[in-house]
Amino acid sequence: MNPEQFVQELSKYNFRLTDEQKKQFKLYFKDLLTANEHVNLTRITEEDDVYLKHFFDSLTPLFTFKKVFKENTTLCDVGSGAGFPSLPLKILQPTLRVTIVDSLAKRLTFLKGLIAELNLQDVTLVHGRAEDVGQNKLYREKFDIVTARAVAKMPILSEYCLPLVKKGGYFIALKGPKADDELKDSQKALAVLGGKVISSKTLTLPDSDEERTLILVQKDKLTPKKYPRQAGTPHRKPIH
């Protein structure tokens, strides 16, 4: 998917990119490649692949669950890495108020420079592990939407993300193919943490065989205070 095809594909979803937005994605690609020489941000470096597997892929929640992306929505992106999915979402929907949580300082340094170059407003960077941030009253149960892409399996991911979602808000997991088993395994974790699955959609990225699953979880109860547990525990002892 080259930049022109990217623009055409977005127009099918009634998103018509301005010249400024096209430039932002172009700069994003350039900065990603430059930084990737020093910091391990991505294995995907071909322009067509970055536009398809990073930029377009990051935007799929907006097309699939459009109703949850309202004006001035607060979004927390857990384990964002090189800014996916939150920064492509922010470029396309500038009123989003984004908080990015990542445990690696080098990645946050890259993101800080990128955000400045793209002239993005209302983006906050938080250095820390999701378990610690989820217990911090500045962030706990404060967000309309929490996203995570390719971070961990659903039972673990739910414990990272749901404590950050406000009651009535949403957790969106961007997964690869065959997420059904993960969903089954996460039923107990979701129930314990206060979430319920509203929708699970499988899609294929345009002109490719790249399959993705998007899972939309609504938080209908507050998360018990003991969650998230101490850093490392969700990974070692997932809720089953």
Side-chain angles (χ1 to χ4, degrees):
M1 175 182 279
N2 63 36
E4 291 73 29
Q5 291 166 325
F6 177 69
V7 170
Q8 287 164 5
E9 200 63 40
L10 292 185
S11 71
K12 294 177 187 175
Y13 296 92
N14 293 321
F15 288 99
R16 286 171 176 68
L17 290 194
T18 64
D19 288 343
E20 174 66 16
Q21 287 168 318
K22 290 175 196 170
K23 187 176 148 199
Q24 284 173 314
F25 279 112
K26 198 172 282 188
L27 277 172
Y28 198 154
F29 170 67
K30 183 175 73 67
D31 282 13
L32 180 65
L33 252 59
T34 303
N36 204 51
E37 293 171 12
H38 314 288
V39 185
N40 182 22
L41 294 168
T42 179
R43 292 190 307 275
I44 297 166
T45 54
E46 292 296 323
E47 184 177 55
D48 287 13
D49 288 341
V50 170
Y51 270 81
L52 178 71
K53 297 177 189 177
H54 281 326
F55 295 164
F56 190 85
D57 184 45
S58 292
L59 296 170
T60 53
L62 190 53
F63 314 144
T64 310
F65 307 128
K66 193 158 194 262
K67 68 180 187 337
V68 309
F69 287 87
K70 299 182 169 67
E71 287 285 304
N72 299 308
T73 291
T74 55
L75 182 145
C76 181
D77 192 11
V78 171
S80 167
F84 306 124
S86 52
L87 292 188
L89 288 167
K90 171 72 175 169
I91 292 171
L92 211 59
Q93 191 155 22
T95 66
L96 271 182
R97 288 179 286 155
V98 172
T99 299
I100 292 174
V101 174
D102 205 281
S103 60
L104 196 67
K106 282 182 184 173
R107 285 198 289 253
L108 292 173
T109 301
F110 159 70
L111 290 172
K112 187 178 180 186
L114 177 69
I115 289 159
E117 182 157 14
L118 300 185
N119 197 25
L120 298 176
Q121 310 303 317
D122 280 332
V123 182
T124 304
L125 301 176
V126 178
H127 182 215
R129 295 185 61 152
E131 301 98 320
D132 299 327
V133 177
Q135 287 290 1
N136 185 328
K137 60 179 185 294
L138 287 175
Y139 307 108
R140 185 180 178 85
E141 294 179 328
K142 294 287 193 245
F143 297 96
D144 300 314
I145 301 172
V146 175
T147 55
R149 176 179 180 258
V151 172
K153 292 201 181 306
M154 272 301 281
I156 303 163
L157 200 58
S158 301
E159 189 168 350
Y160 291 164
C161 295
L162 273 168
L164 294 160
V165 182
K166 62 170 67 164
K167 189 178 172 187
Y170 299 92
F171 158 41
I172 301 175
L174 292 81
K175 309 295 291 181
K178 305 186 177 52
D180 290 353
D181 289 343
E182 279 193 47
L183 258 183
K184 286 192 196 94
D185 287 348
S186 66
Q187 291 307 308
K188 184 176 180 190
L190 289 169
V192 165
L193 297 160
K196 62 175 179 190
V197 176
I198 301 290
S199 179
S200 174
K201 294 275 173 72
T202 301
L203 53 93
T204 306
L205 298 181
D207 300 320
S208 76
D209 54 5
E210 295 278 334
E211 202 174 89
R212 300 288 188 268
T213 305
L214 298 176
I215 300 165
L216 180 67
V217 174
Q218 185 163 33
K219 183 161 174 176
D220 54 359
K221 296 193 294 286
L222 294 177
T223 301
K225 285 190 172 60
K226 69 179 274 194
Y227 299 104
R229 292 166 293 166
Q230 198 172 354
T233 306
H235 188 76
R236 284 197 313 276
K237 297 179 184 172
I239 303 167
H240 281 309

